[in-house]
Amino acid sequence: NVEVTDFLDELNHPFRKEIENLRLIILSANNTLTENIKWNSPNYCFENNDRITMRIQPPKQIQLIFHRGAKKQEQPSHEIIDDNSKLLSWRGNDRAVVTLRNLSEIESKKAAIQDVVNKWVMAAK
């Protein structure tokens, strides 16, 4: 998305390489996702519903926030996906966070990140 690229160009973020790598990982994980800006960060939607938002401030790490959108919904009785990778830190049964600190960590966890992205998109429909 040109809007996201332009936003990042203006931001001059110290983790730009990490952010770009994550953008590619997320978008290549599921070709139904669209990318935009939300909360001053890259955001990913499925069928126009927010599902994954990067948290890039403060610039000491990058977090991927997995959620079911901005509107409050009934809390499911259990975590909405099985996370065999143990990447997710659960903040509720329908909200979780992945924290990444550097490019090598992102690259080493690429397959696990893509697996979580796909599971989340399918479960949060």
Side-chain angles (χ1 to χ4, degrees):
N1 182 322
V2 173
E3 173 192 15
V4 177
T5 301
D6 289 347
F7 169 80
L8 292 170
D9 287 344
E10 291 177 23
L11 195 59
N12 196 26
H13 198 284
F15 288 138
R16 177 66 184 260
K17 288 181 183 177
E18 289 83 353
I19 293 166
E20 290 298 338
N21 198 304
L22 280 169
R23 289 177 71 193
L24 291 172
I25 289 170
I26 293 167
L27 290 169
S28 66
N30 190 308
N31 65 4
T32 64
L33 292 175
T34 57
E35 183 183 49
N36 60 27
I37 296 292
K38 177 180 179 174
W39 301 326
N40 291 316
S41 291
N43 180 64
Y44 302 88
C45 301
F46 175 75
E47 296 179 351
N48 294 318
N49 294 301
D50 299 327
R51 295 295 176 244
I52 305 162
T53 306
M54 265 191 224
R55 181 173 180 238
I56 59 175
Q57 300 296 343
K60 58 184 175 182
Q61 63 192 9
I62 298 172
Q63 292 183 312
L64 297 177
I65 313 299
F66 290 83
H67 54 90
R68 294 192 301 159
K71 293 181 182 178
K72 186 171 180 158
Q73 299 180 30
E74 184 176 331
Q75 187 69 222
S77 61
H78 60 283
E79 295 169 349
I80 67 170
I81 68 166
D82 292 326
D83 175 29
N84 301 328
S85 70
K86 306 298 182 210
L87 284 177
L88 296 174
S89 174
W90 290 91
R91 304 292 199 257
N93 288 338
D94 65 347
R95 183 177 165 94
V97 177
V98 173
T99 301
L100 302 155
R101 290 175 177 76
N102 57 54
L103 192 57
S104 64
E105 182 178 16
I106 292 167
E107 289 173 349
S108 71
K109 295 178 178 180
K110 176 182 177 178
I113 294 167
Q114 287 182 319
D115 183 55
V116 169
V117 166
N118 277 312
K119 286 181 179 177
W120 197 272
V121 168
M122 292 302 109
K125 292 197 231 188

